[in-house]
Amino acid sequence: MEEKTQKQIILTGDRPTGRLHLGHYVGSLKRRVELQNSGKFDEINILIADDQALTDNVDNPGKIRDNMIQVALDYLSVGLDPNKTTICVQSALPALHALTFYYMNLVTTARLSRNPTVKAEIQMRGFADEGLPAGFFAYPVSQAADITAFDATVVPVGEDQLPMIEQTREIVEKFNKIYGETLVLPKAMIPENETQRRLPGVDGKAKMSKSLGNCIYLSDDPKTVKKQINGKMFTDPQHLRIEDPGHLEGNVVFTYLDAFCTDAHFAEFLPEYANLDEMKTHYQRGGLGDGTCKKFLINVLEEELAPIRAERAKWQADIDSVYDILRDGTAKAVEKTNTTLARVRKAMRIDYFDDRSIVKEWKKLF
Ligand code: TRP
């Protein structure tokens, strides 16, 4: 479909497998709120991808059920506004299941095997030895259904999701080639800078992940945040005495400061320096202790997290309203995705019961 005359539509989503953390926040949530408030998009849709979460949690549906509300609360607390953004639940959108099934025929198993993100996940989850669920193997196809069902033009995601968007584009191109121009070709939008793209865990080893215990969650209380930073955050192992020169490479405190601090934070909490560059120079020269740096980081993060926490507390006290938001958003999404499915069925010539025109065709056969 022509992109110039196209409405600008966003679709993105998360698997509800846990509360959202600072990695999600800098990598994606903050951007979504900016996009939402930019007024540049005709539609913004966010999908809580519970079906996708089930592809590797088949024996643990309770976890998904509980985390639906956690993720919804995280969305609302960072400023996603249900009046501007449609928040919906994947499993309640039957059109997505139908589209997935049709798109399966447009993808080879060889192509699915080459998806680098899925490959890495198969290793991480031990599916290589235990046996690989077909549903998990094929989830990129279901993600293509998510994206195309909303006619999304823009898909804001983390870097690890680029292979999914690439596969979606291939499916769209193949579908349109076989059945005529029907689906909208989406584009990925990834975070601008490196730190936003992959905020390391507090241990500095990898991305934040629940199983590694290296996360700071948006819903953590101040004591927990402080404990993660003071107790676990990796700095410079060679920086033993304050006078020693410090190193910035791999120093998580500075990585987080890169991601979160502004000059205004210095004026407020650490007026010895005008900005982060001055602080870094002092650290590298020697004479600036890790304790001071960590204390500053805690202040910076608290400034960001305190309003989110307060907003979360408000919604948490009103779960009924959150339920209504999800129900209403999902009802809207049902309509939208059913419209796309009808268009797809028509293009595929399986729209038998939309009218009786096929009766005439069938009669001609005899
Ligand atoms: N795969 C995404 C993740 O793991 C979640 C997701 C599901 C998604 N459907 C989507 C992201 C559609 C963007 C668009 O984070």
Side-chain angles (χ1 to χ4, degrees):
M1 280 191 154
E2 255 316 307
E3 281 194 39
K4 269 168 281 163
T5 53
Q6 200 78 66
K7 277 187 168 180
Q8 287 304 305
I9 298 176
I10 287 181
L11 180 277
T12 187
D14 301 278
R15 297 181 194 172
T17 51
R19 293 179 291 150
L20 301 180
H21 52 57
L22 281 182
H24 295 116
Y25 184 63
V26 287
S28 144
L29 293 172
K30 221 173 156 170
R31 184 72 167 290
R32 291 182 200 174
V33 177
E34 284 164 17
L35 294 171
Q36 169 194 271
N37 297 335
S38 75
K40 286 191 187 137
F41 292 88
D42 298 293
E43 258 181 48
I44 303 183
N45 304 286
I46 300 186
L47 185 71
I48 304 182
D50 59 336
D51 284 337
Q52 190 178 111
L54 283 166
T55 63
D56 61 343
N57 285 283
V58 69
D59 50 359
N60 207 354
K63 173 172 136 189
I64 312 301
R65 194 173 164 93
D66 291 347
N67 281 306
M68 300 265 292
I69 185 67
Q70 297 286 9
V71 169
L73 287 170
D74 285 328
Y75 286 167
L76 295 168
S77 60
V78 298
L80 288 170
D81 174 354
N83 294 311
K84 299 179 185 159
T85 295
T86 304
I87 303 173
C88 58
V89 174
Q90 188 181 36
S91 60
L93 306 176
L96 302 184
H97 307 140
L99 290 174
T100 303
F101 198 64
Y102 302 142
Y103 296 170
M104 293 270 199
N105 301 324
L106 303 172
V107 183
T108 64
T109 54
R111 175 64 182 89
L112 282 169
S113 313
R114 284 198 299 273
N115 184 310
T117 299
V118 177
K119 254 178 155 167
E121 286 172 331
I122 289 170
Q123 287 310 317
M124 253 161 50
R125 287 165 180 61
F127 287 153
D129 310 318
E130 285 168 23
L132 173 60
F136 184 83
F137 181 58
Y139 88 72
V141 182
S142 121
Q143 195 158 330
D146 301 341
I147 294 168
T148 53
F150 286 86
D151 292 329
T153 49
V154 179
V155 188
V157 280
E159 219 176 12
D160 64 326
Q161 295 296 304
L162 286 176
M164 312 306 160
I165 317 301
E166 199 45 50
Q167 270 199 294
T168 302
R169 289 174 61 91
E170 288 171 25
I171 289 170
V172 167
E173 277 165 352
K174 195 153 181 193
F175 188 102
N176 287 347
K177 196 162 157 239
I178 299 173
Y179 301 113
E181 288 292 314
T182 310
L183 300 173
V184 177
L185 193 64
K187 275 200 191 81
M189 180 191 259
I190 61 168
E192 274 145 25
N193 72 51
E194 191 62 30
T195 327
Q196 292 169 340
R197 263 179 259 176
R198 42 190 68 232
L199 192 75
V202 292
D203 56 1
K205 277 192 206 124
K207 281 208 304 190
M208 282 193 180
S209 120
K210 192 168 145 191
S211 51
L212 297 173
N214 63 0
C215 300
I216 293 175
Y217 293 99
L218 292 172
S219 46
D220 277 343
D221 59 26
K223 227 175 89 193
T224 309
V225 174
K226 209 166 163 180
K227 217 170 91 194
Q228 284 294 73
I229 294 175
N230 284 335
K232 283 199 195 155
M233 193 168 273
F234 187 81
T235 56
D236 171 10
Q238 285 155 29
H239 189 227
L240 296 174
R241 293 167 307 167
I242 293 182
E243 315 82 77
D244 291 339
H247 297 86
L248 302 174
E249 308 79 54
N251 189 319
V252 183
V253 175
F254 283 93
T255 310
Y256 279 43
L257 286 174
D258 274 329
F260 290 99
C261 92
T262 63
D263 294 355
H265 287 127
F266 283 96
E268 195 180 345
F269 302 118
L270 205 59
E272 299 89 296
Y273 311 105
N275 54 44
L276 188 56
D277 283 338
E278 280 187 26
M279 182 184 179
K280 283 179 176 171
T281 308
H282 190 186
Y283 189 79
Q284 287 173 300
R285 192 170 68 233
L288 173 57
D290 285 337
T292 307
C293 300
K294 285 187 169 181
K295 194 167 162 214
F296 177 56
L297 176 62
I298 290 167
N299 283 325
V300 168
L301 286 182
E302 276 310 312
E303 191 149 283
E304 193 93 21
L305 290 174
I308 296 174
R309 226 180 261 132
E311 196 60 20
R312 200 181 211 274
K314 259 178 25 200
W315 288 108
Q316 217 167 287
D318 188 12
I319 299 289
D320 279 297
S321 295
V322 183
Y323 177 89
D324 292 343
I325 288 167
L326 293 180
R327 186 202 50 204
D328 295 349
T330 302
K332 208 169 147 191
V334 165
E335 267 183 50
K336 166 109 198 192
T337 54
N338 280 346
T339 306
T340 308
L341 178 60
R343 203 169 77 227
V344 162
R345 287 205 165 123
K346 197 172 170 70
M348 293 178 70
R349 310 201 60 209
I350 53 174
D351 57 333
Y352 312 121
F353 304 114
D354 287 3
D355 54 40
R356 294 183 70 89
S357 61
I358 196 171
V359 173
K360 222 160 98 193
E361 285 176 46
W362 281 343
K363 282 181 180 168
K364 274 192 214 146
L365 296 176
F366 307 100

